[in-house]
Amino acid sequence: MTNAQSGKIPVVAQGERLPTALASMAVGAAFFSLWFWLLPRWLGFSIEIAGAARWRWLAALPSVLGFAVALRCIWDFGWTGRGTPAPVAPPQRLVVVGFYRHVRNPMYEGFAAGWIGLWIVFGHASIAAIAAVAAVALAIHLFVFFYEEPTLRGKFGEDYEQYCHDVGRWWPRVRGWDRP
């Protein structure tokens, strides 16, 4: 019987969790640096605050909330999973806490909400942007379906199968999932 089936969660000293949580946050900081500093400059994003453009700032709220969800997920990868979002140092434990209790891919969804909000704030929401987002969303879905999920099934076995059965890939549960 696995730990998830028995209801027992192994006790891990904070001293063992802290280094991986900090490493995960460092990887997250690198991602956020890319998203907020480098990428907007490369894409030529600029901010207008006059006229109708001021209404675009309403999109800052879902953007901030989306990135906050992603940041919490990055923390959970390090603290609970003892790994990072980077495939070279993945979590060593199945992460089913926080937002992962509601949906299997909250980090992707948080980044999507964050980026869509930023595109609106910066005035780059267009048919071309929507098509690009749809293409990226499809690519991420295929990556999750064909690589990530089979890898997690192989690594975490029955625990991950139960999690997949009870928690949706993209559509969140209203009530958080508790291990059986």
Side-chain angles (χ1 to χ4, degrees), residues 2-78:
T2 65
N3 285 332
Q5 291 171 330
S6 68
K8 295 178 185 173
I9 297 174
V11 177
V12 179
Q14 285 188 5
E16 294 177 28
R17 287 182 172 181
L18 191 58
T20 54
L22 292 175
S24 185
M25 294 304 286
V27 169
F31 284 140
F32 278 102
S33 295
L34 175 68
W35 300 138
F36 286 111
W37 183 66
L38 293 175
L39 201 54
R41 289 179 185 204
W42 291 340
L43 295 174
F45 284 11
S46 62
I47 301 174
E48 294 178 33
I49 56 172
R54 79 179 118 206
W55 293 105
R56 290 198 312 247
W57 283 98
L58 292 175
L61 181 63
S63 182
V64 167
L65 292 175
F67 286 127
V69 166
L71 186 61
R72 167 62 197 264
C73 293
I74 291 167
W75 173 261
D76 289 339
F77 265 43

Side-chain angles (χ1 to χ4, degrees), residues 41-150:
R41 289 179 185 204
W42 291 340
L43 295 174
F45 284 11
S46 62
I47 301 174
E48 294 178 33
I49 56 172
R54 79 179 118 206
W55 293 105
R56 290 198 312 247
W57 283 98
L58 292 175
L61 181 63
S63 182
V64 167
L65 292 175
F67 286 127
V69 166
L71 186 61
R72 167 62 197 264
C73 293
I74 291 167
W75 173 261
D76 289 339
F77 265 43
W79 187 257
T80 301
R82 295 169 99 214
T84 73
V88 296
Q92 300 305 305
R93 297 174 187 261
L94 183 59
V95 178
V96 291
V97 298
F99 294 108
Y100 288 96
R101 293 179 60 229
H102 298 274
V103 65
R104 291 197 318 253
N105 296 292
M107 191 181 312
Y108 291 125
E109 291 179 343
F111 273 120
W115 266 104
I116 290 168
L118 280 182
W119 282 34
I120 293 168
V121 167
F122 287 117
H124 287 275
S126 65
I127 297 298
I130 292 169
V133 167
V136 168
L138 177 61
I140 289 171
H141 174 74
L142 294 173
F143 172 76
V144 166
F145 189 78
F146 288 112
Y147 172 75
E148 204 169 77
E149 287 181 353

